[in-house]
Amino acid sequence: MAQNIYDDPDFFAGYSQLPRQVHGLAGAPEWPAIKAMLPDLAGRRVADLGCGFGWASRWMRENGAASVLGLDLSRNMIDRAIANTHDEAISYRIADLETLELPRAAFDLVYSALTFHYVQDFARLARMIGDALVPGGELVFTIEHPIFMAAARPGWMQDQDGRKTWPVNGYSVEGERRTDWFASGVLKYHRTIATTVNTLIEAGFRLRRIDEFAPTREQIAQTPGLAKELERPMMLLVAAVKD
């Protein structure tokens, strides 16, 4: 079973105050880049893996999806999503992505935001998603960028010129990473970009687009603190098609 850190009271209290949770998709600077990678949603049956508060699930219905199934390991997340959703075509349930089994050929789109790096067996998950998609169905997901999460102790440092820099030690050593973020010992799984891409190919996916999120000039002008994100990629965005 995956670690359920989101039901830790201290973690959930801190996490709930993040701009992307207070303001929804408008508070996520990577959202415009994600939105550009999504297919036409008209009539699509969508599974939202790691749905959190349901922001994306609701947006997809508002933009034409026929139905959305939101899944999350956290009772706190699911309860909040249910409370904020008033649409019979959206359903939510608790599920562990480590063991999740979806019906075969039941979805046209599987979406996931910042969740797959919590999953240890990504190969099993990718195969299961492939089976759950119809031929030509799409998978769009984001994860913490492998450069962002590779180091044993990630965090900004300064080089000898005083410039912010990010450690990338241990990049090729895949496996567990534990960090302190709102709570101690948050468990994630680091994989290289090559492993992520090759796992998708081996599961029968064809890559449609990959993006390494960086804020735009306009975003930095509006939120100067985003400028540091130009020093290293924080997120990897992937769109793939089930052949």
Side-chain angles (χ1 to χ4, degrees), residues 4-210:
N4 186 6
I5 194 67
Y6 288 85
D7 280 346
D8 176 281
D10 292 334
F11 184 97
F12 189 72
Y15 179 82
S16 297
Q17 298 307 309
L18 290 174
R20 66 182 61 239
Q21 303 310 328
V22 175
H23 304 295
L25 301 177
E30 75 278 11
W31 175 244
I34 296 171
K35 189 165 59 173
M37 296 175 75
L38 288 169
D40 180 8
L41 294 172
R44 301 247 182 174
R45 298 163 297 168
V46 180
D48 183 359
L49 307 187
C51 63
F53 291 176
W55 294 107
S57 295
R58 292 186 291 274
W59 182 89
M60 289 185 185
R61 271 287 293 153
E62 292 165 2
N63 285 271
S67 63
V68 181
L69 171 63
L71 303 172
D72 203 287
L73 180 62
S74 165
R75 165 57 66 185
N76 284 340
M77 295 290 195
I78 292 296
D79 285 349
R80 184 73 66 87
I82 291 172
N84 292 339
T85 300
H86 308 284
D87 185 338
E88 293 183 355
I90 302 176
S91 59
Y92 298 105
R93 75 169 192 256
I94 295 174
D96 183 353
L97 297 190
E98 293 284 11
T99 58
L100 175 67
E101 292 292 344
L102 293 171
R104 293 183 65 87
F107 298 95
D108 306 292
L109 170 66
V110 172
Y111 171 78
S112 183
L114 299 176
T115 300
F116 290 172
H117 49 258
Y118 293 115
V119 175
Q120 182 177 20
D121 193 347
F122 180 58
R124 190 210 74 87
L125 179 64
R127 291 192 300 270
M128 187 279 297
I129 292 172
D131 288 341
L133 286 167
V134 298
E138 302 202 35
L139 168 63
V140 177
F141 70 92
T142 69
I143 55 173
E144 289 186 357
H145 198 288
I147 286 177
F148 175 81
M149 66 181 300
R153 290 183 174 83
W156 290 110
M157 304 183 300
Q158 285 191 341
D159 63 18
Q160 60 186 8
D161 298 321
R163 180 173 179 170
K164 284 182 178 294
T165 187
W166 191 268
V168 193
N169 52 75
Y171 181 83
S172 296
V173 182
E174 299 184 322
E176 290 189 9
R177 296 293 190 275
R178 290 187 180 270
T179 59
D180 295 339
W181 183 55
F182 297 127
S184 60
V186 178
L187 176 60
K188 302 173 185 177
Y189 295 93
H190 165 66
R191 288 176 284 269
T192 65
I193 293 176
T195 292
T196 298
V197 169
N198 289 330
T199 298
L200 293 171
I201 292 172
E202 290 163 6
F205 285 96
R206 171 174 47 85
L207 295 180
R208 181 165 61 77
R209 185 173 179 82
I210 291 180

